[in-house]
Amino acid sequence: MLHSIPKNNPNKHPTKSSHRAKQKELIMIHFFTCTIFIFWMLLLSACTNYQPSSADRMQVGVAYYNQSDTFLSQMIECLKDQFDNLANEGLEITVMVREAAGSQRTQDDQVKELIDAGCNVLCVNLVDRADPSEIIDLAREHNIPIIFFNREPVAEDMMQWDKLYYVGADANQSGVMQGELAAGAIQTCRQIDRNQDGKIQYVVLEGEAGHQDSIIRTESAVNTLKQKGVSLEKLSCGIANWNRAQAQNRMMQMISQHQNRIELVLANNDDMALGAMDAYKKLNVTESALPVFFGIDGTDVGLKAVAEGRLSATVYNDKEGQSAAIAKLAAALITGQGLNKIEFENQKYIYLPYKKVTGSNVYVFYKEKEL
Ligand code: GAL
Ligand code: CA
């Protein structure tokens, strides 16, 4: 205490002036006590309320390849939710999202614009996974880390700079799971081999040529089926760029070529499996003459088709998990906190596991997504 009131006042009958002096002293004591109290309160609140420093102000630039891609547009929503969660935890965050309509040139310009707007971390879903150099150069010039996602740059490009990261999933795992799901269905339901020749006549609908998820998913699904003892006869294969309408067209051609011989459709994603079903619907093919369809992604429409029994099964591409990993990594890169707690493969890669989805567990995913 700065001031204390004497316990025994020797002057029992104070004069007017000594009374005024006493009043003054009391006012001063009151004033100092209040000042000290306010000072301590301010100090306490500064210690307990974490105020983000300017380095903790996250300005996130998100650039993605095409908004017509069903999985990607759902993933971007998840990513925004994840950044919202971080904002609720006290970080100051602004998120700017740009969509490149399938042009790498447009995306390069958008990344430049995001950097000029002050973004201090970039999340990039490349248009051309083999052409990230311009974006990497721009980011390096401004010392802004990049988290690539979903469309994996080739390994040499990832080595160009130490502030490049990738978040995605292992394509091989999704193919193996699709193959296991198809093998399981074929081995339990003998009618899938409709002509009962002991072989499964199949077609494949592939995503973009050169995408890590196209070639690998197809190869590993087919190899897994073979390893599980399923005899296969490949009838046809068509590229449909992840797209439902293109898959419908490709499937129409395949049906006109092979009529009702097709017993199995392996699609690299749900949208293409749904496009293949659209083709059969358009041709009014009776249910007993339909092949079985398998997808990958577990998009809203894909899950619905599994729940309704139209799509035999799918493989869940964990967009929530991937988005959470991106947001966590972005925050760690900006705040400098928690980076050592993140588990990387080869120092810069994070892969989230796929999950099998069938009619018997599809409601778990529905519940998780509150559909
Ligand atoms: C894949 C996904 C596809 C498509 C593609 C785009 O992982 O399964 O549906 O979105 O990414 O890069
Ligand atoms: Ca057959």
Side-chain angles (χ1 to χ4, degrees), residues 65-66 69-73 75 125-127 129 149-152 166 169 171 174 207-208 211-214 217 241-243 268-272 296-299 315 317 322 354:
Y65 91 109
N66 204 328
D69 184 297
T70 307
F71 173 76
L72 245 301
S73 43
M75 176 156 181
N125 171 244
L126 286 164
V127 176
R129 62 183 280 258
F149 64 99
N150 172 265
R151 297 160 79 87
E152 185 174 340
Y166 177 74
S174 57
E208 292 160 271
H211 190 297
Q212 83 277 350
D213 286 343
S214 304
R217 280 179 183 170
N241 298 309
W242 311 117
N243 181 279
N268 283 170
N269 78 344
D270 286 354
D271 254 23
M272 294 190 292
I296 292 176
D297 273 346
T299 53
V315 178
N317 195 353
Q322 292 164 30
Y354 282 99

Side-chain angles (χ1 to χ4, degrees), residues 22 28 35 64 72 117 211 224 257 282 289 325 328 368:
K22 176 90 197 305
M28 288 300 281
T35 314
Y64 73 110
L72 245 301
H211 190 297
T224 305
Q257 215 177 329
K282 202 167 176 189
K328 193 172 161 193
E368 271 175 13

Side-chain angles (χ1 to χ4, degrees), residues 165 328-329 332-333 335-344:
Y165 298 87
K328 193 172 161 193
L329 176 55
L333 289 168
T335 61
Q337 285 164 18
L339 199 58
N340 54 351
K341 290 199 193 106
I342 297 178
E343 282 183 28
F344 294 104

